């Protein structure tokens, strides 16, 4: 795939979400980065971003991770 482009836009999304303090998009950006790194077989980076997403989503019951269903 085009992982370099996916990562580029993932980091742009994450930066925007962090700068605007948008919690839900921040969680989804971290989750997406985790998916990209997992697909690239960089499991350490994937775990890092999945954990960040989980930490964000677990602070509010209205957020449900797809992997937790």
């Amino acid at each position: 795939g085009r992982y370099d482009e996916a990562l580029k836009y993932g980091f742009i999304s994450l930066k925007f979400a962090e700068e605007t303090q948008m919690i839900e998009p921040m969680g989804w950006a971290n989750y997406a980065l985790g998916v990209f790194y997992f697909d690239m077989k960089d499991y350490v980076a994937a775990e890092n971003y999945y954990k960040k997403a989980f930490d964000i989503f677990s602070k509010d019951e209205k957020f449900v991770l797809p992997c937790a269903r």
Side-chain angles (χ1 to χ4, degrees):
R2 295 167 53 184
Y3 296 112
D4 56 340
E5 193 170 351
L7 288 172
K8 173 185 168 186
Y9 289 109
F11 284 117
I12 288 171
S13 297
L14 180 58
K15 181 179 178 188
F16 178 78
E18 289 174 343
E19 288 174 350
T20 58
Q21 293 297 300
M22 297 174 68
I23 302 302
E24 185 173 3
M26 201 180 314
W28 285 114
N30 277 292
Y31 180 79
L33 288 165
V35 171
F36 300 150
Y37 279 113
F38 185 86
D39 287 348
M40 295 182 337
K41 300 185 182 351
D42 184 343
Y43 302 119
V44 173
E47 182 180 24
N48 179 48
Y49 285 102
Y50 284 142
K51 283 183 178 180
K52 287 180 183 181
F54 181 80
D55 289 344
I56 291 166
F57 287 128
S58 66
K59 291 178 184 173
D60 192 327
E61 286 185 15
K62 73 178 180 179
F63 300 122
V64 177
L65 289 172
C67 60
R69 290 185 189 163

